[in-house]
Amino acid sequence: MKKMYLIIEREYLERVRKKSFIIVTLLMPILMIGLMIAPTLMMLYSTSDQKQIVVIDKSGRVADKLQPSAEILFVEESVLSKAEACNVYNEESGIFGVLYIGEEIEARDSVQLITNSSLSPMLEENIATQISSIVEREKLLAYNIDNLDEILANVETHIELSTYLNDGTGAEESMESTSSGMNYILGLVLGMLLYMVILLYGQMVLTSVVEEKASRVLDVMVTTCTPFQLMMGKILGIALVAITQIGIWALLVISSSKFLLPTLLPADIAATNDMMLGSVVGTLGDTGYIAMLFTYLLLFILGGFLLYASLYAAAGSAVDSVQDGQQFNTVIMLPIILSIIVMTSVFNDPNSSLVFWGSMIPFTSPVVMVARIPFGIPTWEIVTSLLILYATFILTTWMAAKIYRVGIFMHGKRPSWGDLWRWIRQ
């Protein structure tokens, strides 16, 4: 074990002393918090320039009822045709676009918006909603209902849905408040973070093995230790680098949520009625919850990395250059890419059959399960996924060790898949 410790120490210190490691480690928490807070703050404070839209209303039913806002100003045009208006109100005129409404509003292509620049989905939805509301109100007026405006005002209702996770006790005070929007952001950030760590540090294992094999360093090292000790020392050394980085990120994020976040966010923003922003502030301020997420993240990063690192080490030992390793690298990367595809289904339904099995199959479970955890899934599913993941790591390490002990001595010939299978069996 002393020989393995020396290899682990060398692999670990070689990487943590680099300036790039220190810079990325310190900047990543800022980026993570920014990714969670920035979208909500941008939606809350961002304002766009008011856009003027010329309205040509052939129906005579809509133009005078369109309501301006901070983003849109409607200007009615009753003289020019659609073609003439598009010619006059071009990009040089400073007008954003022309809204043409035909005589039959509900006919296909009767309502057209011709713009001089790109159109945002929110602006398009705003105009379409206004026109729909105007037409609907006209249809209601045709029924000659008395006090229609008063009735509509009384009927209009806005519901703010508060969501809680049932703890089985039925006591409201013990139920945990949840937010699907915040869960989405956390799941996306954690899933992508784990994906990048496995991919980045896994590739690091492959590159390190290939370089040492090409320089014949491994031929010298195996005179003092076994190939298995070499492989495990390299894998565990780089794994410690990843754990150190995630551990530092966890401490920085937890410390920031405890001490820095209340200082950065004024009291009026923290107490805002905006449910999404309030959920972000509340979640980041819950240090226990953040610590729990990072604990699970470390467990799945360690298991996922050990699983894939053993495969990368086997692939690196079987080739003489990084270019030759691409045929094996592509196959190893396929499950990682598949896990990202399955992860997108988590945000539609975190408990669907596809997502459940994606979080249990060890080659996709690290990314998929980490993305599911913020949605409050049962603990037994997390524990089961971890047990399967680490059991599979033991199996892949045994297979990788058989390939590694033969592959590090093979030079000048790129092995086939049949050769790898023969090395495993021998």
Side-chain angles (χ1 to χ4, degrees):
M1 293 300 294
K2 183 179 179 181
K3 297 175 183 178
M4 189 183 296
Y5 292 151
L6 290 174
I7 299 170
I8 293 172
E9 181 182 7
R10 184 254 180 188
E11 294 290 338
Y12 178 77
L13 295 178
E14 180 186 11
R15 287 165 176 81
V16 297
R17 289 174 176 172
K18 292 183 178 179
K19 292 182 179 178
S20 58
F21 175 85
I22 298 173
I23 293 172
V24 171
T25 302
L26 295 178
L27 291 181
M28 184 59 74
I30 299 175
L31 179 62
M32 289 172 62
I33 295 176
L35 286 174
M36 289 186 282
I37 295 180
T40 305
L41 292 178
M42 288 174 65
M43 291 178 62
L44 195 63
Y45 293 109
S46 63
T47 56
S48 58
D49 297 332
Q50 192 178 53
K51 298 174 175 59
Q52 291 190 28
I53 295 179
V54 174
V55 182
I56 301 175
D57 185 8
K58 296 299 182 180
S59 69
R61 301 159 57 189
V62 176
D64 58 338
K65 299 180 181 66
L66 290 171
Q67 297 297 318
S69 65
E71 289 80 25
I72 313 173
L73 177 62
F74 297 102
V75 179
E76 190 172 354
E77 171 61 65
S78 58
V79 178
L80 300 178
S81 65
K82 180 174 68 173
E84 292 171 339
C86 291
N87 185 39
V88 173
Y89 300 112
N90 52 29
E91 187 174 1
E92 297 177 356
S93 67
I95 299 296
F96 178 74
V98 175
L99 175 62
Y100 175 80
I101 303 172
E103 294 181 3
E104 297 293 333
I105 297 179
E106 297 180 44
R108 183 178 179 83
D109 291 334
S110 181
V111 180
Q112 301 175 0
L113 179 62
I114 303 102
T115 62
N116 295 316
S117 60
S118 57
L119 175 68
S120 70
M122 293 182 66
L123 181 63
E124 182 180 354
E125 181 66 21
N126 185 329
I127 297 173
T129 301
Q130 282 206 52
I131 297 175
S132 298
S133 299
I134 292 169
V135 175
E136 289 173 1
R137 190 175 184 281
E138 278 196 352
K139 289 181 178 181
L140 286 172
L141 286 171
Y143 288 95
N144 296 319
I145 302 174
D146 295 333
N147 303 322
L148 178 61
D149 291 336
E150 183 180 348
I151 294 172
L152 290 176
N154 291 332
V155 169
E156 184 179 358
T157 307
H158 177 68
I159 301 296
E160 288 189 2
L161 182 65
S162 299
T163 57
Y164 295 88
L165 188 64
N166 188 1
D167 61 353
T169 63
E172 184 175 344
E173 60 274 6
S174 63
M175 294 183 183
E176 183 181 352
S177 176
T178 63
S179 169
S180 58
M182 189 60 203
N183 293 339
Y184 171 86
I185 295 174
L186 278 174
L188 182 63
V189 171
L190 294 177
M192 291 303 299
L193 177 62
L194 197 144
Y195 166 78
M196 290 188 294
V197 167
I198 290 178
L199 203 61
L200 174 65
Y201 285 101
Q203 291 277 0
M204 194 180 294
V205 171
L206 184 145
T207 303
S208 177
V209 173
V210 170
E211 289 177 351
E212 291 183 357
K213 179 183 176 181
S215 62
R216 301 301 175 97
V217 171
L218 294 179
D219 293 5
V220 177
M221 293 184 68
V222 292
T223 61
T224 57
C225 59
T226 66
F228 181 78
Q229 290 173 330
L230 268 175
M231 186 187 77
M232 289 304 300
K234 185 174 293 294
I235 291 174
L236 294 176
I238 298 177
L240 282 177
V241 177
I243 292 173
T244 300
Q245 197 166 52
I246 298 297
I248 294 174
W249 290 345
L251 289 175
L252 291 176
V253 171
I254 293 171
S255 301
S256 299
S257 66
K258 183 70 174 178
F259 304 107
L260 188 60
L261 193 63
T263 305
L264 293 178
L265 290 177
D268 57 336
I269 296 179
T272 181
N273 290 328
D274 184 271
M275 296 185 64
M276 185 61 190
L277 182 57
S279 177
V280 171
V281 175
T283 301
L284 292 179
D286 189 348
T287 54
Y289 180 68
I290 296 296
M292 182 269 292
L293 288 180
F294 271 104
T295 300
Y296 283 133
L297 182 65
L298 279 172
L299 289 173
F300 278 102
I301 278 182
L302 180 60
F305 171 78
L306 292 175
L307 173 64
Y308 278 99
S310 62
L311 300 178
Y312 276 115
S317 68
V319 296
D320 290 325
S321 66
V322 177
Q323 290 75 17
D324 290 340
Q326 291 305 311
Q327 63 167 330
F328 303 118
N329 186 34
T330 302
V331 176
I332 296 173
M333 286 180 61
L334 283 177
I336 306 178
I337 297 173
L338 179 62
S339 66
I340 291 294
I341 298 173
V342 176
M343 185 184 75
T344 58
S345 299
V346 172
F347 310 127
N348 295 325
D349 183 2
N351 295 305
S352 67
S353 298
L354 173 64
V355 170
F356 173 81
W357 290 111
S359 62
M360 292 297 165
I361 298 173
F363 294 98
T364 58
S365 64
V367 174
V368 178
M369 182 58 83
V370 163
R372 288 184 69 200
I373 288 175
F375 289 89
I377 63 171
T379 304
W380 72 265
E381 292 188 18
I382 302 175
V383 174
T384 303
S385 178
L386 283 170
L387 291 176
I388 296 173
L389 177 62
Y390 281 89
T392 307
F393 153 67
I394 296 173
L395 176 62
T396 55
T397 301
W398 173 78
M399 295 173 62
K402 286 179 152 302
I403 297 174
Y404 188 89
R405 69 179 184 180
V406 178
I408 56 174
F409 300 110
M410 302 294 290
H411 297 278
K413 178 179 178 291
R414 186 167 62 182
S416 63
W417 290 102
D419 294 330
L420 298 183
W421 178 243
R422 189 166 60 253
W423 296 351
I424 292 173
R425 294 175 58 192
Q426 120 182 4

